[in-house]
Amino acid sequence: MNCRECLDFLSDYRNGELPDEQRAVFETHLSKCPPCRDFLDSYCESIRMAKDCCCPDPDGPVPDKVPDALVNAILKARDASRDS
Amino acid sequence: MSSAPMQLDAAEQALLDSLRAGDEAAYETLVRDFGGPMLAVTRRMLGNEDDARDALQDAFLSAFKAIDRFQGGSKLSTWLHRIAVNASLMKLRTKRRRSERSIEAMLPQYDESGHRVRDNDTWPTDGAIALQRQETRQQVRDAIDELPESYRTVLLLRDIEELNTKETADMLDVSESVVKTRLHRARLALRNLLAETFGTQAE
């Protein structure tokens, strides 16, 4: 396995979906190739960062409540859609 | 005709009965009790407060229209989550940018011998990049938003909303293999975009 082929397996490896045999080959390559290890680390880290950045901002609006104005807008839009 | 087993608890069933009977107060209860997590979904998917609120309104209008057809084969919250995701997808499509960078330009590059061209490979991978700071969160969000729409959508559904491959394929009306390919390329591209911001040149 070369580095390019190694990259093709990253997603399935990260998802835990790589068959045992391919995983063994993949891990052998990783053990000998620091650049690919670095790449895997940063690949996994970027997925974590994407997830974290989409979680509610602690300083942002209250996450589990619909603002009153929006509740009213939704109910008003329902009335309008029934009238049309 | 067989139907899926009912997944509703007594409170959900009572609310559903009231909605179907046209009880006005029940509609407000539905929005207040279930709207919060749905708004969180549209915020995650759209990354913009105005769009997230528009999508939530669209989602509830869809839900109100479809409430008579809801079979109770899933929890009410699960059904509403799916509707919120769908409303977000519709919104994303209407906001499709006129020009997008090709995904190819964001993927790792190789030299003539097949080795990857090293980029900013060294960056903290132990959670040290603090996402508490609004600026950092926005940089990551900007990178997600830079992905071409068809790739961004798969990344949002699989890695953020945690839908599985089949659910994502069904929602986007593409094959599971297309979902897998797009997810892989979206993750590679996102990693490279973030490396431009957070990485440093390997020694």
Side-chain angles (χ1 to χ4, degrees):
Chain A
M1 178 183 282
N2 63 32
C3 298
R4 188 167 199 158
E5 291 164 340
C6 175
L7 237 59
D8 290 340
F9 289 118
L10 278 181
S11 194
D12 285 346
Y13 182 76
R14 166 66 172 62
N15 293 345
E17 294 170 355
L18 209 54
D20 288 349
E21 200 174 317
Q22 284 179 337
R23 196 180 72 234
V25 175
F26 179 85
E27 288 176 345
T28 301
H29 176 85
L30 279 187
S31 69
K32 297 176 189 163
C33 184
C36 279
R37 276 207 304 278
D38 286 348
F39 194 89
L40 173 65
D41 286 346
S42 59
Y43 179 90
C44 292
E45 184 68 359
S46 62
I47 295 168
R48 184 195 69 77
M49 288 167 73
K51 193 156 181 56
D52 283 2
C53 98
C54 292
C55 289
D57 180 348
D59 301 324
V62 177
D64 55 357
K65 192 169 181 297
V66 181
D68 285 340
L70 184 53
V71 174
N72 293 333
I74 290 167
L75 296 174
K76 204 170 165 186
R78 173 176 171 258
D79 288 342
S81 70
R82 284 193 306 167
D83 293 343
S84 61
Chain B
M1 187 179 78
S2 64
S3 59
M6 294 291 279
Q7 300 285 329
L8 304 180
D9 62 27
E12 286 185 337
Q13 187 60 57
L15 179 59
L16 203 55
D17 291 344
S18 300
L19 290 166
R20 287 174 176 162
D23 177 353
E24 293 296 322
Y27 284 90
E28 182 169 346
T29 301
L30 185 78
V31 176
R32 289 195 186 279
D33 288 1
F34 292 87
M38 292 170 71
L39 182 57
V41 170
T42 59
R43 280 178 178 147
R44 287 195 297 267
M45 292 284 293
L46 295 162
N48 169 299
E49 187 64 20
D50 288 344
D51 290 343
R53 291 181 180 213
D54 283 352
L56 181 72
Q57 181 165 316
D58 294 343
F60 270 114
L61 292 180
S62 299
F64 295 156
K65 279 184 192 155
I67 202 80
D68 286 336
R69 298 196 300 276
F70 177 56
Q71 302 280 324
S74 65
K75 288 177 71 71
L76 193 52
S77 56
T78 306
W79 183 70
L80 290 169
H81 175 266
R82 183 163 282 245
I83 290 175
V85 169
N86 255 324
S88 303
L89 290 175
M90 295 292 288
K91 194 81 184 168
L92 279 173
R93 286 178 191 135
T94 62
K95 288 176 67 70
R96 189 175 292 181
R97 286 157 296 182
R98 263 166 289 173
S99 62
E100 292 182 324
R101 265 175 79 192
S102 145
I103 190 90
E104 304 293 340
M106 303 177 190
L107 297 176
Q109 305 295 313
Y110 298 89
D111 62 22
E112 289 169 357
S113 63
H115 287 95
R116 182 171 59 82
V117 176
R118 303 294 298 273
D119 56 11
N120 295 347
D121 274 4
T122 309
W123 50 324
T125 52
D126 55 358
I129 299 174
L131 288 171
Q132 283 81 10
R133 287 184 55 209
Q134 181 59 33
E135 183 191 354
T136 313
R137 297 170 70 91
Q138 192 58 50
Q139 285 171 318
V140 178
R141 183 74 218 191
D142 288 347
I144 294 172
D145 289 343
E146 203 170 321
L147 299 173
E149 190 241 340
S150 60
Y151 293 89
R152 183 171 73 246
T153 305
V154 170
L155 184 99
L156 288 169
L157 294 181
R158 287 285 284 113
D159 283 344
I160 311 301
E161 294 307 314
E162 299 186 330
L163 268 58
N164 64 33
T165 302
K166 182 172 188 318
E167 289 167 338
T168 305
D170 289 347
M171 196 156 260
L172 298 176
D173 199 20
V174 296
S175 69
E176 291 186 39
S177 67
V178 165
V179 169
K180 284 189 167 199
T181 303
R182 285 189 190 163
L183 177 64
H184 180 50
R185 299 182 116 210
R187 286 170 166 178
L188 284 176
L190 179 67
R191 180 264 169 216
N192 281 4
L193 291 171
L194 294 179
E196 289 172 9
T197 305
F198 299 107
T200 53
Q201 197 75 43
E203 292 178 8

